[in-house]
Amino acid sequence: MNTITCLIFLIMKDRFDSVISKYSSKILSCEDIFVIDYKNINGGNVDCLCENPAFECVKINNPNGIESYFILFEDNCLEKAIGDYSKQCECIAFPTEKHVKSWFLCIETKYSYSHENAFREENNYPYIMIEKIKDTVAYFRERGVIDEKKRVTGIVSFPTLIGDFSESFKPKDESFEDILINYNIIIRPTNKLKIISSKRLDFS
């Protein structure tokens, strides 16, 4: 990073540091990045790695080596008041080289081991997952960390499901278009994505 880019990134990092506490972070630029939540696997925390772990995870292809900052939340990380916590997704990420049009990513996972269970109406997983992303973004918008005009991309992932599940993933009482219009968040049901540049993510 050049001096100006580094300064902008450090300012952004400090903004997050000022409103969250229990988290870890990593700066990665490897060709493939793997995001995994170990909580339901071995009781561990969320992690992101350059090596493919032994368990299913969100896979991020990064062929151009774009350096990105990952903030990995621990439980009850977003405190609204003493003893009162916002719902939260697993992690957020953004490129260290900041632009007005640079991407901002939220990742939420659910480890369900069958398509039937993942989309069983009484489990309500799609609603729960989307609400976690919406609440995470709202938490940072309300504190001036993420600008209201900043468009956010939210990944809702079932890492243990084989095949495309996007047709089955439906928001409750609203559409993906409603979420984009009302919250400036693009929701993508997928287990993988590609970082093209600091301004572009690809889901094809």
Side-chain angles (χ1 to χ4, degrees):
M1 288 187 285
N2 61 42
T3 302
I4 295 177
T5 301
C6 183
L7 180 60
I8 294 172
F9 167 69
L10 290 174
I11 291 172
M12 188 70 172
K13 181 179 179 298
D14 287 345
R15 288 176 180 171
F16 281 101
D17 287 343
S18 69
V19 298
I20 56 177
S21 55
K22 298 185 295 181
Y23 73 97
S24 61
S25 63
K26 289 184 178 180
I27 295 177
L28 299 177
S29 59
C30 36
E31 183 176 356
D32 291 296
I33 300 170
F34 305 90
V35 179
I36 184 167
D37 184 3
Y38 283 111
K39 183 174 184 178
N40 292 319
I41 297 172
N42 57 21
N45 295 319
V46 180
D47 201 0
C48 58
L49 313 160
C50 290
E51 302 81 26
N52 198 341
F55 303 95
E56 294 301 322
C57 56
V58 176
K59 300 174 177 65
I60 304 174
N61 183 225
N62 185 29
N64 298 314
I66 303 302
E67 187 177 79
S68 303
Y69 184 60
F70 288 79
I71 299 178
L72 311 163
F73 299 137
E74 296 181 20
D75 288 344
N76 296 327
C77 184
L78 309 184
E79 188 173 33
K80 297 188 289 185
I82 296 176
D84 183 21
Y85 302 93
S86 170
K87 286 180 282 188
Q88 63 189 53
C89 60
E90 261 65 77
C91 72
I92 58 176
F94 52 88
T96 57
E97 184 179 352
K98 294 294 290 176
H99 299 280
V100 173
K101 295 184 179 180
S102 62
W103 50 264
F104 189 96
L105 180 67
C106 295
I107 298 176
E108 168 64 16
T109 62
K110 185 68 68 176
Y111 283 75
S112 180
Y113 291 88
S114 73
H115 191 280
E116 179 186 8
N117 185 65
F119 297 103
R120 185 176 289 122
E121 186 173 354
E122 55 265 35
N123 288 338
N124 215 11
Y125 288 153
Y127 172 79
I128 292 169
M129 296 167 80
I130 290 173
E131 288 301 298
K132 285 185 176 182
I133 289 177
K134 286 162 58 176
D135 283 7
T136 299
V137 174
Y139 181 89
F140 291 117
R141 291 206 202 277
E142 289 165 4
R143 286 154 182 80
V145 180
I146 302 177
D147 191 272
E148 291 289 342
K149 297 180 181 179
K150 179 68 177 177
R151 181 161 293 179
V152 173
T153 299
I155 295 298
V156 282
S157 168
F158 288 103
T160 46
L161 295 188
I162 298 173
D164 181 20
F165 55 83
S166 60
E167 290 299 319
S168 300
F169 200 106
K170 304 294 183 185
K172 182 179 180 181
D173 301 326
E174 61 185 346
S175 67
F176 290 127
E177 291 76 16
D178 292 333
I179 296 170
L180 175 58
I181 293 169
N182 296 329
Y183 304 98
N184 208 8
I185 301 172
I186 299 173
I187 297 294
R188 301 285 191 177
T190 185
N191 290 333
K192 59 183 180 180
L193 67 147
K194 181 184 288 187
I195 299 174
I196 302 298
S197 69
S198 59
K199 300 178 184 179
R200 183 183 167 203
L201 300 173
D202 182 69
F203 300 89
S204 57

